[in-house]
Amino acid sequence: MKKEEAEMGFEESHAAWIAHHLASRKGERRSRLERGHHHGEALFARNVWWEVFGNFDDLHPEFEVPDWRGRSYFADFAWITRFIRLIIEVKGFASHVRDMDRQRFCGELNRETFLFGMGFDVISFAYDDVEQRPEVCVALLRMVVSRYRSHQPPVTRALMAEKEILRLAVQSVEPIRPKDVADHFEIDVKTAVSMLRKLCEKGWFRPCPRGNGERVVRYEWVRGALEY
């Protein structure tokens, strides 16, 4: 394929990919994508991701995840498949090193460790490499991809499902319902209730009874369960 044709393929695919995610988001999630996906992120998409994959399947820009305090954090990219949960950051020297104070440094490390505990891997690329030495980033990303393709997932489906329920609860304003879990996983409500009860037994959640306390309709994330 000629360089011009390849370039046009990227431009069209990138525009359609961003438009798709904008159409599926509202409020702060949409606003964050509009504000956050700019030069550095677009450069990574062009110079690195597109070179490795040639498409944007399963890649999410400005992906919202919780930090260890339950607050929203937007990662530059997340590659999410049935068994892969990879956070990708593009870090500039000024914002991530030169202007980093001790509190922000601690917060960043805590966030990355919490994400690992939630089943995500986290990798970072330097903006300077993405811009000036993209071939290095391409080689490194291919190494990461080969790791996923050559190994079985490190956690069971059940554990991944439990962590996904926790993620839903952290992002929800109110305690979650079994129906919320059922709709998310496309399972029946009875199975969702069973999953939530197991999480209560682990101490991650607690039931929220309604009325006289006999009927449980919602389940609340126990914030202290993640404090060490």
Side-chain angles (χ1 to χ4, degrees):
M1 180 182 290
K2 295 180 180 179
K3 182 177 180 180
E4 294 79 9
E5 293 174 342
E7 186 71 11
M8 182 174 292
F10 166 79
E11 295 293 350
E12 292 177 351
S13 296
H14 182 263
W17 173 60
I18 293 297
H20 167 74
H21 282 279
L22 284 172
S24 65
R25 301 185 186 186
K26 297 180 181 179
E28 177 59 19
R29 293 179 183 179
R30 179 186 174 94
S31 178
R32 182 58 186 242
L33 178 53
E34 292 173 333
R35 301 193 315 267
H37 189 80
H38 290 306
H39 180 69
E41 291 79 8
L43 207 60
F44 173 84
R46 179 199 301 272
N47 290 355
V48 183
W49 189 268
W50 185 259
E51 288 296 319
V52 174
F53 291 93
N55 61 65
F56 296 106
D57 297 347
D58 302 315
L59 186 67
H60 302 262
E62 293 298 318
F63 185 74
E64 184 180 17
V65 290
D67 66 11
W68 79 102
R69 300 159 298 185
R71 300 175 183 175
S72 289
Y73 157 72
F74 289 86
D76 290 336
F77 301 94
W79 184 28
I80 308 293
T81 71
R82 187 176 180 182
F83 293 118
I84 299 170
R85 296 162 67 84
L86 177 68
I87 295 294
I88 303 171
E89 297 282 19
V90 179
K91 297 184 177 182
F93 179 81
S95 61
H96 286 88
V97 179
R98 189 184 65 194
D99 299 334
M100 180 75 72
D101 58 26
R102 290 180 179 273
Q103 185 175 359
R104 289 178 61 190
F105 176 72
C106 292
E108 184 164 326
L109 296 184
N110 289 339
R111 179 174 62 245
E112 291 182 356
T113 302
F114 176 76
L115 288 172
F116 181 81
M118 290 284 288
F120 289 95
D121 287 330
V122 182
I123 61 174
S124 301
F125 293 93
Y127 170 81
D128 289 348
D129 281 342
V130 171
E131 181 186 39
Q132 303 170 22
R133 296 170 291 276
E135 68 280 359
V136 174
C137 303
V138 168
L140 291 172
L141 182 58
R142 283 179 174 151
M143 289 178 63
V144 172
V145 172
S146 68
R147 171 179 174 268
Y148 286 112
R149 289 175 176 170
S150 62
H151 292 78
Q152 294 297 319
V155 296
T156 65
R157 285 189 185 182
L159 184 57
M160 289 182 68
E162 289 177 348
K163 290 179 178 179
E164 181 66 9
I165 294 174
L166 178 58
R167 185 185 69 82
L168 288 175
V170 170
Q171 293 181 336
S172 178
V173 176
E174 299 180 348
I176 60 174
R177 305 168 299 171
K179 186 178 185 304
D180 298 327
V181 176
D183 290 345
H184 183 77
F185 288 102
E186 297 182 352
I187 57 177
D188 59 83
V189 174
K190 184 177 180 180
T191 301
V193 170
S194 177
M195 295 169 71
L196 286 164
R197 286 176 176 172
K198 288 181 181 179
L199 289 172
C200 288
E201 293 174 0
K202 289 186 174 184
W204 290 14
F205 282 77
R206 55 171 164 254
C208 299
R210 185 174 69 177
N212 58 10
E214 296 180 358
R215 185 184 179 191
V216 175
V217 295
R218 291 181 181 272
Y219 293 80
E220 181 181 27
W221 166 42
V222 179
R223 297 175 184 271
L226 296 176
E227 295 180 358
Y228 300 98

